[in-house]
Amino acid sequence: MESGAAAGPGGGRFPFPYTPYLIQERFMAALYGALEAGRVGIFESPTGTGKSLSLICGALSWLRDFEEKKQREEARLLAPEESGQEGKKPLTPAEPGAPGSRDTAGEPDWVTAFVQKKEERDMVDRLKEEQIRRKKREDRLEKIRHNVQLKYAAKRKRSEEDETKHLLQLSKEVLSEGAGVDVLEQLDHNEEELILAEYESDEEKKVVSGLEEDDDDLEEEHVTKIYYCSRTHSQLSQFVREVQKSPFGKDTRLVSLGSRQNLCVNEEVRRLGALPLINDRCMEMQKNKHEKKSDEESEGKKRRASRTVCPFYSYEQMQFLRDEVLVEVKDIEQLVALGRETKACPYYGSRYAIPAAQLVVLPYQMLLHEPTRSAAGIKLKDQVVIIDEAHNLIDTITCIHSVEVSGAQLCCAHSQLSQYMERYRKRLKAKNLMYIKQILYLLERFVAMLGGNVNQNPSCQAVSQTGTVLKSINDFLFQSQIDNINLFKVQRYCEKSLISRKLFGFVERYGGPGTAVKTNKENQKLAGLQNFLLTLQQGSDKEGAPQIPPVEAENDQLRTASPLMQIEGFLSALTNANQDGRVILSRQGTVGQSSLKFLLLNPAVHFAKVVEECRAVIIAGGTMQPVADFREQLLSCAGMDPARVVEFSCGHVIPPENILPIILCSGPSNQQLEFTYQTRDLPQMMDETGRILCNLCNVVPGGVVCFFPSYEYEKQVYAHWEKTGLLTRLATKKKIFQEPKKANQVEQVLVEYAKCIKRCSQAGGQMTGALLLSVVGGKMSEGINFSDDLGRCVIMVGMPYPNIKSPELQEKMTWLDKTMPRAAGEAPSRVLIENLCMKAVNQSIGRAIRHQKDFASILLLDHRYTRPAIFNKLPQWIRDRTQVKPAFGSAFAELRKVRTCILCTATKTVSHCTHLYFSQTFTLE
């Protein structure tokens, strides 16, 4: 690959791994300008145009120039200091600052000069300190980079420490043999871990960093950096690999952040599976590490039982891991491998690398959720944030801050907490008991709002008035009679006391149906808890009692063993401002099946803090149209000055003749195509769709991907075609595949689909490829690339409007109509519905064109796509090439022309396309 560079600002160049496309040069220049001016940018670059590399080279070029400019300014300010002030002429009385003269404010000029000099000296001292810190860091990293012996020495030291620990453990085991320790007494000592520590204050305390006394070396000042976030773990790993391949791969200090679930290397903790359990266990082990020292030092007290600490949470090893991370660009997998090798925690080691890092790569949730952001040590003040794959940013923020709890979870948590309080009542301090009673009262009132009694089995309590009710936060608090409880204090107590973790340990020990419970009198009291949990899991033996449907293992674990973790999220959501959210009461057949859900209506309140603190924010994606949602729902509502917002959209790198988008208004039998809820179920509409596909499959070789508005409609059409025999006709030309609902089955379907296309292209014959029936919003409409022969034609059946009967959507529409101005005469709620539809369409039809030499046709089957309000929401690179065909005949003629082009190149591309499939084409997320 030829190395190249693009023209940069001021005649400079953007380093690039090959000669960039013109649109990449424009993208990087626009990005550089937005970062330099401190703007909020909405950037669109279609997939296949090298968006990731453009972001990397454009943003890191700006950062490089910014750092150089800052260092030049520092050198200028420090120059007079280093020269010992020589060359400065002495002040004369006539000059400002000389004794005897006065300034305009009446102060003697020598006072003003003194203050001014003091400020300059302070700035110089600050710059000197920064230089020393920077030099120290650079020297340390350079030494690690080039001195392999240091790595081996550190590794040998770790091996010696492990051996010492192992010998100590063996010695303890030998000493404990024959000691005659009573087993029941030993278990009672271990039970100390389950008892809540004394809760000293309601006020917010400083979070303990978890480092030992000499932690100055880890506490560095945050340098100017770029935070890059994306949606999924695989997208972040792919981005890091792009950085590694870029011209900046060797010199950039990059750190990848992730959740404990992705980064934890302690197998005992990893086995817990569910993220809330892993988080709580990790925090508890940290707490134990700090308490261990004070317990050992305390004299005249009964020695407490030994508490488990994490062997990977070592200051020295995490310091070593931090430096290793900064020396060389690593993705999450490499970071975890390094953590295992160095016996250091990658989760905390990577966080300690944040201050010195130039590029921080992290998932959406970590950046957009303020408590998570603070806990990770992320400081956004005057930094740059790039949010990639941002087409669903509004939905992401809404989902992060929305939470749902079921009646079964509420009843289960109440029972567990009651039993916990009864067992440890004599050991708990007054403040702990007070908060536990408050939480029990909250749970009782929440279940009452669902029409149930917290002391009865939720699966046996029928709900008298079923349906869905929406309430404002204040109305919900008043009607549930909890408005007199300070939810902020309860939330803080849950967070600081780790009560959900203690409760989980308690239930793990005594509540599981397979757990052996001790036979002493105290433990016999726990039989009620065990029986209650069994009834929750198995339903009641009473006649006519409904059975709880089976759920997946992890959800089952959370629901029965640790429901308080989910409920804590709901309590936190209730602290939002009244106007920004709603509480949805969903009353189903039984109390256990009913639920409470907090719905965030105004995502801008959470995004505003990001925009206000950052120097610049870039919202980027392959398909950002329509952008009105970002401007109005996110930026305007966040109080953003419209002048600060810039938009950039570039075309595609493919030649115009490589794509044929067609809006088809009628089918082969002249049936008008309009797939509304009223007409799409008609037999003639389903027959017409089948006839269109039959004709297309006759002329389009390779793969055809057909998107339906929903799983239900796809099944209905499939059944109709099966009944009429149309499916058999289709199957003579293409093998038919259906998108599965379960995510774990998607990969297998894709593998078979690709193999079939390869087989047909090599064998020739009547069957020319495969037809994949997919669903808009499903697994195959985002994140999977149907490049080359895998997607020669993409068909969109109808317009995938969301279900406007959904209570959540109705409430969102009402809220928009009340808070937003009308746009071009249209109600904001109407615009929202159209935008949701077109975002889904744009994501789906963008699956086919994935690189410069790719080509495909796109068919939109509905005459409503020709309406200007809808048509203008297609991506510009598709919109500019779209043909409107009122009749099927002319559309079919255009497709036959494309077929000639495809057949000419099919033999050249099929082996390449098959190779692409197995290496990178289907990127599962």
Side-chain angles (χ1 to χ4, degrees):
M1 195 176 278
E2 188 185 339
S3 179
R13 308 290 285 176
F14 290 113
F16 215 73
Y18 54 84
T19 304
Y21 304 128
L22 179 62
I23 60 170
Q24 287 177 315
E25 293 181 3
R26 289 172 181 165
F27 185 102
M28 289 186 286
L31 177 63
Y32 191 106
L35 298 181
E36 184 66 20
R39 300 293 186 88
V40 174
I42 302 173
F43 279 65
E44 181 181 53
S45 179
T47 308
T49 56
K51 169 169 61 72
S52 295
L53 261 179
S54 301
L55 282 171
I56 290 164
C57 296
L60 290 177
S61 291
W62 172 83
L63 186 62
R64 174 202 61 196
D65 293 350
F66 177 83
E67 287 177 346
E68 287 176 1
K69 196 188 302 177
K70 189 178 176 184
Q71 286 176 19
R72 283 198 301 271
E73 183 65 17
E74 284 177 9
R76 187 185 67 79
L77 288 168
L78 291 172
E81 182 76 14
E82 289 168 2
S83 62
Q85 302 293 334
E86 289 176 14
K88 273 197 170 185
K89 61 177 183 177
L91 294 171
T92 62
E95 290 177 325
S101 66
R102 289 184 173 272
D103 66 5
T104 53
E107 288 284 349
D109 284 346
W110 67 268
V111 173
T112 308
F114 176 80
V115 171
Q116 197 173 357
K117 283 181 180 178
K118 187 177 185 307
E119 288 174 356
E120 287 175 4
R121 277 198 303 272
D122 289 346
M123 186 192 292
V124 167
D125 289 343
R126 211 163 42 243
L127 290 174
K128 279 182 176 178
E129 285 174 16
E130 280 181 26
Q131 273 194 341
I132 291 167
R133 273 199 301 268
R134 187 167 61 239
K135 184 77 167 63
K136 186 179 176 184
R137 182 183 64 234
E138 287 171 357
D139 289 348
R140 188 178 70 236
L141 297 181
E142 195 64 23
K143 194 183 290 182
I144 292 170
R145 189 176 283 115
H146 296 296
N147 194 343
V148 182
Q149 287 183 346
L150 273 178
K151 294 185 182 182
Y152 286 122
K155 199 170 182 180
R156 188 170 60 250
K157 187 181 177 185
R158 286 192 298 275
S159 300
E160 289 169 1
E161 286 172 354
D162 289 346
E163 185 63 25
T164 306
K165 283 178 186 174
H166 180 61
L167 290 171
L168 281 170
Q169 185 62 33
L170 287 174
S171 303
K172 286 177 184 176
E173 287 172 8
V174 169
L175 287 170
S176 65
E177 284 178 14
V181 179
D182 184 82
V183 178
L184 291 180
E185 188 184 341
Q186 184 67 39
L187 286 172
D188 286 337
H189 275 307
N190 290 340
E191 206 171 343
E192 289 278 350
E193 289 192 14
L194 301 180
I195 299 171
L196 288 161
E198 184 175 358
Y199 187 68
E200 295 173 355
S201 173
D202 290 333
E203 300 304 317
E204 189 70 52
K205 291 186 224 169
K206 288 181 79 176
V207 179
V208 178
S209 68
L211 302 175
E212 281 145 39
E213 290 80 0
D214 53 346
D215 63 351
D216 293 337
D217 202 31
L218 285 183
E219 290 299 320
E220 293 188 53
E221 190 172 338
H222 284 242
V223 302
T224 302
K225 60 176 59 52
I226 296 164
Y227 287 98
Y228 171 90
C229 61
S230 193
R231 205 161 42 90
T232 65
H233 173 71
S234 61
Q235 286 170 341
L236 293 172
S237 294
Q238 189 177 342
F239 178 82
V240 173
R241 287 193 291 273
E242 292 285 344
V243 174
Q244 289 170 331
K245 290 187 291 185
S246 78
F248 296 91
K250 299 289 183 188
D251 305 319
T252 302
R253 299 190 299 276
L254 179 148
V255 57
S256 296
L257 301 181
S259 66
R260 287 180 175 91
Q261 201 167 31
N262 286 326
L263 290 174
C264 180
V265 290
N266 186 329
E267 289 305 321
E268 179 204 329
V269 179
R270 284 177 64 85
R271 276 197 294 270
L272 293 171
L275 181 59
L277 303 182
I278 292 173
N279 285 341
D280 273 11
R281 181 60 177 152
C282 176
M283 289 165 69
E284 187 181 38
M285 290 170 99
Q286 278 185 64
K287 198 173 178 183
N288 291 345
K289 186 179 177 82
H290 297 296
E291 289 178 354
K292 187 179 178 184
K293 193 173 182 181
S294 59
D295 286 347
E296 287 172 356
E297 289 172 355
S298 58
E299 295 176 6
K301 294 182 181 179
K302 181 181 175 182
R303 188 180 175 87
R304 299 181 72 178
S306 176
R307 295 187 171 201
T308 309
V309 297
C310 183
F312 297 92
Y313 194 78
S314 157
Y315 161 76
E316 191 177 346
Q317 295 313 123
M318 287 192 296
Q319 187 183 30
F320 179 79
L321 184 135
R322 174 204 65 181
D323 292 343
E324 281 288 325
V325 165
L326 294 172
V327 161
E328 187 181 21
V329 173
K330 293 175 178 64
D331 62 19
I332 291 282
E333 287 76 16
Q334 293 168 322
L335 185 57
V336 169
L338 180 65
R340 288 201 176 100
E341 183 192 332
T342 59
K343 297 285 195 302
C345 175
Y347 179 75
Y348 284 103
S350 60
R351 282 166 56 169
Y352 298 143
I354 292 172
Q358 295 167 307
L359 180 57
V360 179
V361 179
L362 70 167
Y364 273 179
Q365 291 81 351
M366 197 172 279
L367 183 106
L368 299 173
H369 188 243
E370 191 178 14
T372 308
R373 197 163 68 230
S374 301
I378 294 167
K379 296 178 182 178
L380 296 182
K381 183 68 177 168
D382 297 329
Q383 307 292 15
V384 171
V385 165
I386 297 175
I387 303 173
D388 201 1
E389 300 299 329
H391 56 273
N392 58 355
L393 179 60
I394 295 171
D395 292 339
T396 301
I397 297 171
T398 302
C399 288
I400 289 171
H401 297 92
S402 299
V403 63
E404 185 173 17
V405 291
S406 69
Q409 287 175 306
L410 294 166
C411 289
C412 183
H414 187 278
S415 175
Q416 291 176 5
L417 201 54
S418 299
Q419 296 286 346
Y420 178 88
M421 187 176 73
E422 284 305 309
R423 175 159 180 80
Y424 302 119
R425 183 183 286 276
K426 293 178 182 177
R427 301 289 306 276
L428 295 170
K429 301 292 183 182
K431 197 158 277 188
N432 277 320
L433 287 170
M434 180 192 78
Y435 277 112
I436 289 173
K437 285 176 180 176
Q438 282 191 352
I439 295 169
L440 287 170
Y441 177 72
L442 289 170
L443 296 172
E444 185 183 325
R445 297 311 307 160
F446 291 160
V447 174
M449 288 295 284
L450 294 174
N453 186 328
V454 79
N455 295 313
Q456 296 175 17
N457 191 329
S459 62
C460 299
Q461 295 182 68
V463 175
S464 54
Q465 293 182 335
T466 58
T468 303
V469 181
L470 283 94
K471 295 183 182 297
S472 69
I473 298 172
N474 286 349
D475 286 347
F476 176 77
L477 297 178
F478 284 123
Q479 289 175 28
S480 56
Q481 299 171 16
I482 60 171
D483 53 298
N484 59 329
I485 292 179
N486 188 329
L487 293 178
F488 289 96
K489 285 189 174 184
V490 174
Q491 178 196 352
R492 194 154 58 239
Y493 171 76
C494 291
E495 182 187 330
K496 299 295 179 187
S497 67
L498 299 178
I499 187 170
S500 56
R501 168 64 207 168
K502 304 287 185 184
L503 195 59
F504 173 70
F506 172 71
V507 176
E508 200 176 34
R509 187 182 291 264
Y510 298 119
T515 307
V517 180
K518 294 181 291 182
T519 56
N520 60 30
K521 289 180 182 178
E522 276 190 319
N523 286 322
Q524 286 171 1
K525 294 177 183 177
L526 296 165
L529 170 63
Q530 195 174 13
N531 291 336
F532 181 80
L533 289 175
L534 278 169
T535 60
L536 280 182
Q537 289 171 323
Q538 298 166 4
S540 173
D541 294 333
K542 291 181 181 177
E543 203 173 299
Q547 296 289 311
I548 296 177
V551 291
E552 291 180 359
E554 185 177 308
N555 290 338
D556 185 56
Q557 181 189 27
L558 277 175
R559 192 165 294 171
T560 58
S562 190
L564 192 59
M565 293 178 183
Q566 185 82 354
I567 293 161
E568 283 177 18
F570 182 70
L571 291 174
S572 177
L574 292 178
T575 60
N576 276 276
N578 183 57
Q579 69 272 18
D580 293 331
R582 296 290 182 270
V583 179
I584 304 169
L585 285 75
S586 176
R587 299 188 181 104
Q588 304 301 324
T590 66
V591 171
Q593 294 167 338
S594 303
S595 65
L596 297 173
K597 180 179 180 180
F598 174 79
L599 173 69
L600 181 71
L601 293 175
N602 184 13
V605 293
H606 296 286
F607 193 63
K609 295 173 184 176
V610 175
V611 175
E612 284 165 10
E613 289 186 14
C614 291
R615 172 196 175 95
V617 176
I618 304 298
I619 304 169
T623 308
M624 298 298 288
Q625 293 292 336
V627 296
D629 283 357
F630 298 105
R631 277 189 169 274
E632 290 158 18
Q633 289 187 49
L634 269 189
L635 303 177
S636 295
C637 284
M640 175 62 53
D641 179 4
R644 193 185 166 196
V645 182
V646 294
E647 287 181 33
F648 176 86
S649 180
C650 63
H652 213 294
V653 292
I654 59 166
E657 62 272 13
N658 280 30
I659 182 171
L660 176 63
I662 293 175
I663 297 174
L664 191 58
C665 300
S666 59
S669 63
N670 292 324
Q671 169 75 46
Q672 188 183 48
L673 300 177
E674 185 174 357
F675 293 87
T676 62
Y677 285 112
Q678 292 77 28
T679 61
R680 69 183 192 181
D681 295 339
L682 296 173
Q684 57 264 39
M685 287 300 292
M686 292 189 279
D687 288 340
E688 196 74 343
T689 308
R691 281 191 283 268
I692 292 169
L693 256 68
C694 278
N695 279 287
L696 290 177
C697 289
N698 281 332
V699 297
V700 177
V704 176
V705 185
C706 182
F707 286 101
F708 289 87
S710 67
Y711 283 103
E712 290 71 25
Y713 188 57
E714 187 266 329
K715 280 185 179 178
Q716 184 183 347
V717 172
Y718 189 89
H720 179 77
W721 290 348
E722 208 168 27
K723 185 180 171 183
T724 59
L726 205 142
L727 206 63
T728 309
R729 284 170 55 198
L730 274 172
T732 59
K733 284 289 182 183
K734 305 279 184 190
K735 185 173 180 181
I736 300 168
F737 295 86
Q738 288 177 278
E739 178 177 339
K741 262 193 172 182
K742 291 185 178 178
N744 60 0
Q745 298 173 354
V746 170
E747 189 169 5
Q748 184 58 36
V749 171
L750 291 173
V751 168
E752 293 302 321
Y753 173 74
K755 282 181 179 176
C756 176
I757 292 169
K758 178 187 176 186
R759 196 166 51 245
C760 292
S761 63
Q762 289 176 344
Q766 190 177 6
M767 188 169 284
T768 60
L771 169 64
L772 180 59
L773 305 179
S774 303
V775 176
V776 175
K779 194 66 182 174
M780 295 182 186
S781 64
E782 281 193 47
I784 295 176
N785 303 337
F786 295 103
S787 65
D788 298 306
D789 232 16
L790 298 170
R792 287 303 179 202
C793 182
V794 174
I795 302 163
M796 177 64 62
V797 177
M799 299 185 70
Y801 282 109
N803 178 14
I804 57 170
K805 292 181 181 177
S806 156
E808 290 97 329
L809 186 56
Q810 285 184 342
E811 190 64 24
K812 179 82 173 181
M813 290 165 68
T814 305
W815 180 81
L816 284 173
D817 284 340
K818 284 180 182 176
T819 57
M820 296 280 184
R822 293 175 72 87
E826 274 195 300
S829 56
R830 179 65 191 168
V831 174
L832 171 71
I833 296 299
E834 288 178 354
N835 287 350
L836 288 173
C837 169
M838 291 310 294
K839 276 184 187 295
V841 168
N842 293 341
Q843 279 301 306
S844 299
I845 63 179
R847 299 298 95 204
I849 301 291
R850 311 310 286 180
H851 58 84
Q852 188 184 21
K853 295 180 180 178
D854 207 354
F855 49 88
S857 52
I858 297 169
L859 258 74
L860 304 175
L861 307 186
D862 202 305
H863 76 94
R864 291 174 294 171
Y865 283 108
T866 60
R867 295 175 183 172
I870 300 295
F871 183 77
N872 290 331
K873 287 171 182 172
L874 287 168
Q876 188 174 353
W877 67 277
I878 291 179
R879 189 170 66 235
D880 291 346
R881 305 169 192 188
T882 300
Q883 300 180 26
V884 177
K885 299 293 181 182
F888 181 75
S890 56
F892 191 65
E894 290 292 333
L895 287 164
R896 288 178 71 90
K897 289 179 192 174
V898 174
R899 178 175 182 260
T900 309
C901 168
I902 293 173
L903 287 175
C904 290
T905 56
T907 51
K908 297 176 185 175
T909 61
V910 70
S911 58
H912 172 63
C913 112
T914 307
H915 167 71
L916 273 178
Y917 162 69
F918 288 107
S919 60
Q920 65 185 26
T921 302
F922 290 143
T923 312
L924 290 175
E925 296 167 8

